[in-house]
């Protein structure tokens, strides 16, 4: 069993809902990696026998710090239409909501399609150096990353940069076929943009993240274990919150997901 | 009373929650303008005496077509922290959820701030022609729009364009000071990007919209009734859904909001 599947495993509870557990392999500096929490929230919908179609949109709200340990997951179909379905999900610890999420699932048909935000022309991952990630952050070892631009800060000397963009090739370190849950987690692989913009040890944490899934299961399956090109950039930093806009492409140039988040930072 | 305030008016119900009503002045082709629905959902949080701080993030899910008529609004504080608060909102008609929303509110402090996605240098609104909006859509008359690029399709001849960008100056037609509810509505003023990309009468409707509020109440108040520079672009169209990423700046170049949505389209 792949460690990602271990981490998103939810066990059905007798009274309804699910029981999950944080996984040390996806630990962050404090508590779990936000991407795995997003995948766990999505998984509560993926496992629901009443689910209609595939994920189209996911918004995850990180309401409070998740503690290492067990959590419950409850997903409720708020509204079911002919081809789309709306869900509300809550992850709780000690009876308190730590994460909430809304999920839209939909049945898709093949119609006219086009990628407008094209994948930039970049060097292939094989030509890029493998830089060891910062120590002490377990989840970083779950991914292979090859940075084209905007790698982890090294000097932390307070230098300011005009552009917060990071661009990298990324994939699971241990091979695993891509699916919606894995893609949701990958949308959160970018370190906080404030560290890229200003090389200072600024505390920062995602408050809310949205993922739009352009890829359906067939395209994800075709993508398999390929390297994905991922990039992220902030648009504004203002009084304790900044946003981030991100894209993830397959090596063939399909935009698999676009993603956005708003992040708390403490100056 | 400004027509926008009439439209977002919610009346407290004896048993808790709120009663609202769609407003003909914000009617769309069918049902209400999505932006006014977003503002109504946000308003249920704004009016709550337990609210902590100001809106930071809003995600509105358009679960089903809202019918012209009354609706109930219920907002629940899912989790309250020291400086941030997470809300879940449902708008219902006939006991069924038609709109769900999550809202993050936060108390902000003045810290290091920067706009990274800068406002493009464009002609001022006074130099641009006033083009009458398409007929038969009430809400369009609530706004003044001056397009710099990507105005309403005229020929509907099926022509394809490589770029779906629209860029315009926009403000309330009847002067009103800017606030978070008005800004949320403004994030939805863009006609469906599929019409810009392909001039065809393609049915389309927003499924989920997210707004990140960079501006606090003081900045919004300072902006007042100024023209805002607004732009939107799709990143991918795929099998019935496309995304849109948008920015709204004050004339001074402050990024007031960044916004994203995923939109259903029928080919």
């Amino acid at each position: 069993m792949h460690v990602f599947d271990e981490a998103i495993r939810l066990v059905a509870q007798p009274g309804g809902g699910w029981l999950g557990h944080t996984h040390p392999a996806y630990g962050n500096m404090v508590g779990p990696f936000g991407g795995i929490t997003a995948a766990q929230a999505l998984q509560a919908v993926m496992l629901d026998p009443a689910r209609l179609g595939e994920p189209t949109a996911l918004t995850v709200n990180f309401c409070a710090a998740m503690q290492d340990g067990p959590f419950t997951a409850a997903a409720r179909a708020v509204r079911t239409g002919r081809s789309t379905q709306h869900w509300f999900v809550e992850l709780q610890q000690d009876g308190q909501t730590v994460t909430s999420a809304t999920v839209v699932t939909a049945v898709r048909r093949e119609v006219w399609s086009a990628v407008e935000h094209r994948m930039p022309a970049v060097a292939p991952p094989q030509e890029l150096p493998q830089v060891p990630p910062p120590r002490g952050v377990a989840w970083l070892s779950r991914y292979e990353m090859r940075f084209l631009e905007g790698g982890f800060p090294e000097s932390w000397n307070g230098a300011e940069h005009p552009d917060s963009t990071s661009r990298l090739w990324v994939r699971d370190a241990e091979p695993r076929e891509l699916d919606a849950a894995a893609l949701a987690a990958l949308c959160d692989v970018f370190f906080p943009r404030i560290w890229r913009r200003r090389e200072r040890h600024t505390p920062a944490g995602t408050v809310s993240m949205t993922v739009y899934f352009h890829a359906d299961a067939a395209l994800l399956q075709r993508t398999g274990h390929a390297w994905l090109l991922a990039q992220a950039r902030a648009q504004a930093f203002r009084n304790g919150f900044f946003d981030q806009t991100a894209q993830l492409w397959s090596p063939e140039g399909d935009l698999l997901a676009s993603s956005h988040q708003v992040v708390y930072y403490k100056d």
Side-chain angles (χ1 to χ4, degrees), chain A:
Chain A
M1 198 183 199
H2 193 282
V3 64
F4 183 82
D5 294 294
E6 280 178 17
I8 64 168
R9 199 166 76 100
L10 297 177
V11 178
Q13 294 300 96
W18 307 90
L19 186 67
H21 204 288
T22 61
H23 196 295
Y26 286 90
N28 204 346
M29 283 171 293
V30 178
F33 165 49
I36 205 74
T37 305
Q40 287 159 339
L42 179 61
Q43 189 68 354
V45 172
M46 297 308 287
L47 292 176
D48 199 300
R51 176 172 54 88
L52 179 70
E54 296 175 37
T56 301
L58 163 70
T59 292
V60 184
N61 299 290
F62 300 92
C63 305
M66 189 176 273
Q67 307 300 317
D68 292 324
F71 60 85
T72 60
R76 170 167 71 90
V78 169
R79 187 77 188 242
T80 301
R82 265 178 309 182
S83 60
T84 63
Q85 194 172 42
H86 287 262
W87 296 84
F88 182 60
V89 183
E90 286 180 272
L91 307 186
Q92 296 197 328
Q93 289 187 317
D94 298 325
Q96 286 233 295
T97 300
V98 290
T99 307
S100 75
T102 60
V103 179
V104 184
T105 57
V107 178
R108 298 189 151 202
R109 297 166 306 107
E110 277 197 29
V111 295
W112 177 87
S113 300
V115 173
E116 181 161 328
H117 193 154
R118 302 257 183 123
M119 184 166 75
V122 297
Q126 296 77 13
E127 291 179 12
L128 298 166
Q130 190 172 354
V131 179
R135 290 172 181 222
V137 181
W139 74 266
L140 285 171
S141 300
R142 302 290 79 72
Y143 296 102
E144 284 189 281
M145 301 184 184
R146 303 282 170 88
F147 279 91
L148 290 142
E149 183 185 340
F152 296 101
E154 286 174 15
S155 67
W156 298 102
N157 60 359
E160 294 210 6
H161 304 278
D163 183 338
S164 68
T165 303
S166 283
R167 189 178 277 176
L168 67 153
W169 291 102
V170 61
R171 64 177 180 183
D172 276 312
E174 183 191 337
R176 182 180 180 278
E177 215 167 65
L178 198 57
D179 57 16
L183 188 57
L186 280 160
C187 286
D188 197 36
V189 293
F190 310 96
F191 62 85
R193 298 297 87 201
I194 187 91
W195 299 352
R196 170 86 176 103
R197 186 73 194 244
R198 304 175 91 198
E199 291 197 39
R200 293 155 55 105
H201 287 287
T202 306
T206 302
V207 172
S208 183
M209 173 169 83
T210 289
V211 177
Y212 297 146
F213 299 87
H214 300 295
D216 54 19
L219 174 55
L220 293 174
Q221 202 171 16
R222 271 208 309 282
T223 305
H225 179 56
W227 289 97
L228 307 188
L229 184 66
Q231 68 178 25
R233 185 195 172 194
Q235 299 190 98
F237 303 82
R238 192 175 167 88
N239 291 348
F241 293 90
F242 67 85
D243 70 340
Q244 171 185 295
T245 177
Q247 296 82 30
L248 283 90
W249 291 272
S250 77
E252 286 73 36
D254 285 307
L255 187 64
L256 302 177
S258 49
S259 180
H260 315 281
Q261 56 178 263
V262 61
V263 182
Y264 165 80
Y265 68 99
K266 189 176 174 175
D267 194 39

